[in-house]
Amino acid sequence: MSKVFVFDHPLIQHKLTYIRDKSTGTKEFRELVDEVSALMAFEITRNLPTQEVTIETPVGKATSKTIAGKKLGLVPILRAGLGMVDGILRMIPAAKVGHVGLYRDPETLKPVEYYVKLPNDVNERELIVIDPMLATGGSAIDAITSIKRRGATSIKLMCLVAAPEGVAAVQIAHPDVDIYLAAMDEKLNEKGYIVPGLGDAGDRLFGTK
Ligand code: PRP
Ligand code: URA
């Protein structure tokens, strides 16, 4: 069974409060999602392997550390996942970025895939699938299935807000994928929205509706 981590860092929790607030407008919402994503990138990379290297400082020889192991890749689920990309890239600028396009059919709540483009060496990378919302889990499950089918073997899932139903569904479908969150909320409502959640992440990020 995969593990679930909720990042309780005060800065993440503070910013998430304003992201949730319905009076927060598009510009501020987008900036806050970007900032929280950068902070979450800091947390999610905490256990990356490092290696010792020797360098010359202006004063002398030093043994110091660099990141070792697999290269990283980000896979935002379109469209709302796009809002998290730049913040994470500020922390991990060398990461490659693939995209999975899915939308949730408003009637059936089932995801419909419309686009997939991944780095060629996806099988050699540690991938972080990103989406602000993990509701029923259908979108994340299908996105992860899709990238596994294309060769990915090492995957983490990072979301801002999740419902317990979605977390459980992803754990059953992909027990090898650990889940990283800023918050685990109460439940889903009858329309498949996370309660209390933050509303429709894509619409709030891009000012649509
Ligand atoms: C939202 C969200 C997730 C999905 C979560 O996307 O960004 O991708 O719903 O719901 P689920 O866990 O029940 O699948 P949406 O389908 O609204 O598309 P958008 O990002 O293009 O707005
Ligand atoms: N997608 C969203 O954007 N918000 C929810 O609460 C559920 C799915």
Side-chain angles (χ1 to χ4, degrees):
M1 182 60 72
S2 66
K3 297 194 199 75
V4 180
F5 301 89
V6 180
F7 295 139
D8 60 357
H9 192 291
L11 283 174
I12 293 176
Q13 295 306 316
H14 175 87
K15 289 173 193 292
L16 183 61
T17 301
Y18 291 97
I19 289 173
R20 287 183 187 278
D21 191 328
K22 69 177 184 184
S23 69
T24 298
T26 303
K27 175 179 178 288
E28 205 187 343
F29 185 92
R30 202 180 284 146
E31 289 167 357
L32 287 162
V33 169
D34 175 79
E35 289 167 15
V36 165
S37 303
L39 293 167
M40 290 182 78
F42 186 76
E43 294 279 20
I44 204 172
T45 51
R46 182 175 289 281
N47 295 317
L48 284 183
T50 56
Q51 63 193 0
E52 289 202 334
V53 295
T54 306
I55 47 146
E56 294 273 349
T57 76
V59 181
K61 229 182 207 54
T63 303
S64 194
K65 288 181 180 171
T66 60
I67 290 171
K70 285 189 171 185
K71 291 183 178 153
L72 299 174
L74 308 180
V75 185
I77 300 178
L78 306 180
R79 132 194 94 129
L82 288 176
M84 300 175 71
V85 172
D86 287 352
I88 301 173
L89 282 179
R90 279 204 301 285
M91 297 294 125
I92 320 170
K96 288 195 175 170
V97 183
H99 296 86
V100 177
L102 291 172
Y103 70 88
R104 201 170 71 147
D105 183 295
E107 299 298 322
T108 64
L109 301 184
K110 299 280 178 238
V112 182
E113 186 177 288
Y114 58 87
Y115 184 76
V116 182
K117 181 78 181 173
L118 300 175
N120 289 336
D121 56 355
V122 76
N123 55 329
E124 293 164 18
R125 287 183 180 263
E126 190 167 314
L127 299 178
I128 308 175
V129 173
I130 52 180
D131 193 327
M133 310 308 280
L134 179 60
T136 65
S139 302
I141 289 170
D142 281 15
I144 293 167
T145 302
S146 190
I147 64 179
K148 280 184 175 173
R149 212 183 297 127
R150 289 166 173 83
T153 54
S154 176
I155 303 169
K156 293 180 163 82
L157 174 64
M158 184 166 120
C159 305
L160 297 188
V161 180
E165 296 90 326
V167 169
V170 172
Q171 285 185 304
I172 290 166
H174 297 293
D176 55 318
V177 175
D178 288 339
I179 303 171
Y180 299 81
L181 308 171
M184 173 84 95
D185 276 12
E186 222 178 289
K187 59 178 182 182
L188 293 177
N189 70 13
E190 64 291 348
K191 290 186 178 148
Y193 274 78
I194 299 172
V195 181
L198 52 79
D200 188 305
D203 283 344
R204 293 196 65 191
L205 268 170
F206 297 109
T208 48
K209 190 82 190 156

